[in-house]
C-alpha cells in the first residue's frame, strides 16, 4: 500500500536458456527439374548440408499493477541479452551475432459508475523480436544452396541427362549470404485502446482497437547484382482470363538482367529502410450472460500491410519471412496485404438451457479469404522464366489496384447435449452437427495466368 490508499501488485521474473539447432537439407539426386507449359525449362542443383547453430538467451521482466480506486495503471519492463554463432565444417569463418534489448509497456484504465460501469483503457508498448537463430541459419555457409541453370534438352525427352546443363542463371541460399556487421534487432511498437460498457439485462458491449508498426525487419539485399544490371522491357498481359482479345489485356513492365551478371548473386542480410510493415484493426463484442441463455456476437476488421517477397504463400507473403526484394521484378506490387490479413471476421456463439438437463449450443463464424496477387509468367529474358505480380495482393493499404482475395468461409456448427442422472454418477451424451450449410469454398485460387 502506498500514498492515497493505492494497491500495488508486483511481479518479477528472469530466465536463462542455452539452445542448439541442427538442420539437414537434401533432395532426391540433388536436382529439381522445372517445366513450363509442357516443355523443359531449367534445372536447379541443390548443395545440401548439415548446419549447427547455437545461442544463449537471458531474459528478465518486472511488472507493477497499481490500483487507486477507479484508476489503475499497468507498468512493465522487459529486457533480454542474446548471442549466437555457427561454425562451418570447412571453408570461411562462421557467423557471430549479439543482441541486447530493453522494452516496456505502460497502460492506464479508468472505471466510471458502479451499477452499469464504463471502463476505458489505453496502453502503449515496445517489444523486441527474438530472431537471432533464424538469422544465423539463413547465412550458415553449410546451409542449403541452390544454383539454377538453363536446360538444354536437345532430344526433348523431358529427362535430364549429364551434359544438358546450360549457363548458370541464378545462385541463392545460405552459402551465398552473409550478415550485415551492423545488423539490428527488429522491434514492434503498438498502441491499444479499449472501451467496455455494462448494460441492463446482463448485456455488455466492448470495442478494442489497435495499431502495430514493425521496425528494422530483416531482408536480403543482392550486393552481387545491382539494380543497374536490369533494363526495363514491355510484356503483354492477357488479363485475368488468360485469353487475348477479351477486353482485359494490358501491357506490363518487366526487367531483363544483363547476361554478364548472371549467377553472380551475393546476398547481405540487413535492415532495409523500406522493409517495415504495419497492422491495425478493431474488434467489437456484444454479449449476454443469463441464467438459461448466454451468447456473444463478435466482429473484427483487420489489415496487415508490408513489403514482402514475391509469392502468395505464408513463407513468402509475411513479414516474419526474410524477404529477398533486390531484383526490380520482385519489387513489382510487393507492397500489399500479407498472408494472414483476413479483412473481416465475425462469430456468433451461444448456449441455451432447454428442458431439464438438455442444452443446445451453436457457433456461426465468417472469415474473409486470403489475399493474393495474380502472377504473370514472363519468358524471353536473359535470366530465364520468371513470374511478376500483375496485381497487388489483397486491398493492401486501401489503394485501388485490382487487389484480390480467395473465397470467404461461412460455417455453422450445432451441439445438442444432455445429462442423465444415474444411481451412481452421471452420464453425459452429446450430438454434434458440423457445417450445417454444407458449404465448401476455395482456399486457393488459380493465381497464375494461363
Amino acid at each position: 500500500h502506498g500514498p492515497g490508499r493505492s494497491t500495488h501488485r508486483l511481479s518479477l521474473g528472469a530466465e536463462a536458456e542455452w539452445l542448439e539447432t541442427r538442420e539437414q537439407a537434401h533432395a532426391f539426386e540433388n536436382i529439381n527439374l522445372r517445366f513450363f507449359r509442357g516443355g523443359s525449362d531449367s534445372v536447379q542443383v541443390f548443395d545440401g548440408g548439415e548446419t549447427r547453430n547455437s545461442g544463449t538467451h537471458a531474459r528478465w521482466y518486472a511488472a507493477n499493477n497499481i490500483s487507486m480506486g477507479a484508476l489503475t495503471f499497468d507498468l512493465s519492463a522487459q529486457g533480454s541479452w542474446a548471442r549466437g554463432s555457427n561454425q562451418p565444417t570447412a571453408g570461411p569463418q562462421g557467423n557471430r551475432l549479439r543482441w541486447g534489448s530493453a522494452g516496456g509497456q505502460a497502460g492506464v484504465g479508468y472505471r466510471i459508475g458502479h451499477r452499469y460501469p464504463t471502463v476505458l483503457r489505453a496502453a502503449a508498448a515496445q517489444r523486441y523480436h527474438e530472431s537471432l537463430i533464424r538469422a544465423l541459419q539463413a547465412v550458415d555457409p553449410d546451409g542449403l544452396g541452390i544454383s539454377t541453370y538453363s536446360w538444354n534438352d536437345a532430344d526433348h525427352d523431358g529427362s535430364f541427362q549429364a551434359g544438358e546443363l546450360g549457363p548458370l542463371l541464378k545462385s541463392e541460399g545460405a552459402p551465398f549470404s552473409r550478415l550485415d556487421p551492423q545488423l539490428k534487432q527488429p522491434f514492434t511498437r503498438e498502441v491499444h485502446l479499449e472501451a467496455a460498457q455494462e448494460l441492463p439485462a446482463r448485456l455488455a458491449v466492448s470495442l478494442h482497437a489497435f495499431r502495430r508498426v514493425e521496425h528494422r525487419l530483416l531482408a536480403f539485399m543482392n550486393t552481387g547484382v545491382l539494380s543497374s544490371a536490369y533494363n526495363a522491357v514491355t510484356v503483354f498481359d492477357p488479363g485475368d482470363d488468360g485469353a487475348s482479345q477479351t477486353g482485359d489485356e494490358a501491357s506490363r513492365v518487366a526487367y531483363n538482367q544483363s547476361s554478364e551478371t548472371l549467377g553472380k548473386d551475393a546476398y547481405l542480410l540487413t535492415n532495409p529502410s523500406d522493409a517495415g510493415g504495419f497492422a491495425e484493426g478493431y474488434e467489437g463484442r456484444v454479449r449476454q450472460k443469463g441464467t438459461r441463455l448466454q451468447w456473444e456476437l463478435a466482429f473484427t476488421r483487420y489489415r496487415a500491410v508490408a513489403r514482402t517477397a514475391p509469392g502468395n504463400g505464408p513463407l513468402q507473403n509475411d513479414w516474419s519471412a526474410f524477404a529477398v526484394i533486390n531484383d526490380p521484378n520482385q519489387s513489382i506490387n510487393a507492397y500489399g496485404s500479407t498472408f494472414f490479413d483476413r479483412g473481416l471476421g465475425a462469430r456468433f456463439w451461444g448456449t441455451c438451457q432447454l428442458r431439464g438437463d438438455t442444452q443446445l449450443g451453436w457457433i456461426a463464424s465468417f472469415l474473409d479469404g486470403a489475399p493474393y496477387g495474380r502472377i504473370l509468367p514472363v519468358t524471353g529474358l536473359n535470366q530465364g522464366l520468371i513470374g511478376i505480380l500483375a496485381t497487388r495482393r489483397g486491398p493492401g493499404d486501401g489503394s485501388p489496384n485490382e487487389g484480390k482475395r480467395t473465397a470467404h468461409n461461412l460455417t455453422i456448427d450445432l451441439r445438442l447435449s444432455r445429462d442423465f442422472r444415474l444411481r451412481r454418477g452421471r452420464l453425459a451424451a452429446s450430438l454434434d452437427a458440423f457445417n450445417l450449410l454444407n458449404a465448401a469454398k476455395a482456399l486457393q485460387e488459380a493465381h497464375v495466368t494461363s
Side-chain angles (χ1 to χ4, degrees), residues 388-407:
I388 63 173
L389 281 172
T391 61
R392 180 176 296 180
R393 289 169 291 201
D397 60 356
S399 303
N401 191 19
E402 306 174 82
K404 299 178 181 297
R405 287 188 182 275
T406 61

Side-chain angles (χ1 to χ4, degrees), residues 217-232:
L217 291 179
L218 305 184
F220 284 102
M221 299 285 292
N222 194 337
T223 58
V225 182
L226 304 179
S227 58
S228 57
Y230 295 86
N231 297 312

Side-chain angles (χ1 to χ4, degrees), residues 110-146:
Y110 188 68
R111 177 171 176 165
I112 305 171
H114 295 282
R115 185 177 181 184
Y116 302 117
T118 302
V119 178
L120 305 175
R121 297 187 181 94
Q126 178 168 309
R127 298 184 176 89
Y128 283 81
H129 306 182
E130 295 188 358
S131 51
L132 182 141
I133 292 295
R134 291 180 58 239
L136 290 171
Q137 288 176 325
V139 297
D140 194 316
D142 287 337
L144 179 64
I146 304 174

Side-chain angles (χ1 to χ4, degrees), residues 104-400:
Q105 175 174 313
V108 61
Y110 188 68
R111 177 171 176 165
I112 305 171
H114 295 282
R115 185 177 181 184
Y116 302 117
T118 302
V119 178
L120 305 175
R121 297 187 181 94
Q126 178 168 309
R127 298 184 176 89
Y128 283 81
H129 306 182
E130 295 188 358
S131 51
L132 182 141
I133 292 295
R134 291 180 58 239
L136 290 171
Q137 288 176 325
V139 297
D140 194 316
D142 287 337
L144 179 64
I146 304 174
S147 300
T148 303
Y149 299 83
S150 63
W151 185 0
N152 297 324
D153 188 17
D155 53 7
H156 304 288
D157 63 350
S159 178
F160 177 72
Q161 303 172 25
E164 292 185 346
L165 275 185
L168 176 64
L169 302 177
K170 190 73 175 175
S171 300
E172 54 193 324
F176 306 100
S177 308
R178 61 186 178 90
L179 282 177
D180 183 348
Q182 305 299 321
L183 190 69
K184 296 179 175 60
Q185 187 174 7
F187 68 91
T188 298
R189 287 176 178 162
E190 55 188 40
V191 176
H192 295 261
L193 300 173
E194 184 176 358
Q197 175 69 62
E198 293 189 18
L199 300 170
R202 298 186 178 183
L203 282 170
V205 298
S206 63
L207 181 65
H208 171 225
F210 80 96
R211 179 175 172 85
R212 182 172 68 246
V213 181
E214 307 291 330
H215 298 270
R216 298 180 185 170
L217 291 179
L218 305 184
F220 284 102
M221 299 285 292
N222 194 337
T223 58
V225 182
L226 304 179
S227 58
S228 57
Y230 295 86
N231 297 312
V233 296
T234 302
V235 296
F236 175 71
D237 179 7
D240 287 350
D241 56 8
S244 302
Q245 300 179 351
T246 55
D248 62 346
E249 299 81 14
S251 294
R252 308 281 180 185
V253 175
Y255 296 88
N256 190 24
Q257 183 178 349
S258 63
S259 56
E260 296 81 6
T261 63
L262 294 175
K264 296 183 178 180
D265 309 278
Y267 300 94
L268 179 69
L269 184 59
T270 185
N271 306 104
S273 59
D274 59 350
F278 74 90
E280 61 185 9
Y282 62 86
E283 180 180 67
R285 292 175 180 267
V286 181
R287 69 178 184 273
Q288 184 182 43
K289 191 172 183 180
T291 304
R292 302 180 62 86
L293 174 67
Q294 57 178 330
W295 55 267
E296 180 180 86
L297 173 64
F299 64 91
T300 302
R301 289 288 296 176
Y302 175 83
R303 66 172 178 170
V305 181
R307 183 180 298 273
T308 59
N312 292 314
L315 297 182
Q316 301 93 16
N317 186 26
D318 185 51
W319 60 48
S320 64
F322 297 157
V324 187
I325 304 181
N326 53 85
D327 180 338
N329 291 297
Q330 296 176 325
S331 298
I332 298 173
N333 287 323
Y335 188 73
S337 296
T338 65
F339 182 81
F340 294 100
D341 177 352
R342 287 300 191 268
L344 174 64
R347 183 183 66 179
F348 178 53
W349 69 265
T351 60
C352 179
Q353 192 73 31
L354 303 178
R355 297 181 57 184
D357 294 328
T358 304
Q359 188 178 68
L360 175 67
W362 68 89
I363 298 178
S365 60
F366 172 89
L367 195 64
D368 254 350
Y372 73 97
R374 180 168 59 84
I375 298 175
L376 174 67
V378 179
T379 59
L381 303 179
N382 293 332
Q383 65 267 40
L385 171 68
I386 66 169
I388 63 173
L389 281 172
T391 61
R392 180 176 296 180
R393 289 169 291 201
D397 60 356
S399 303

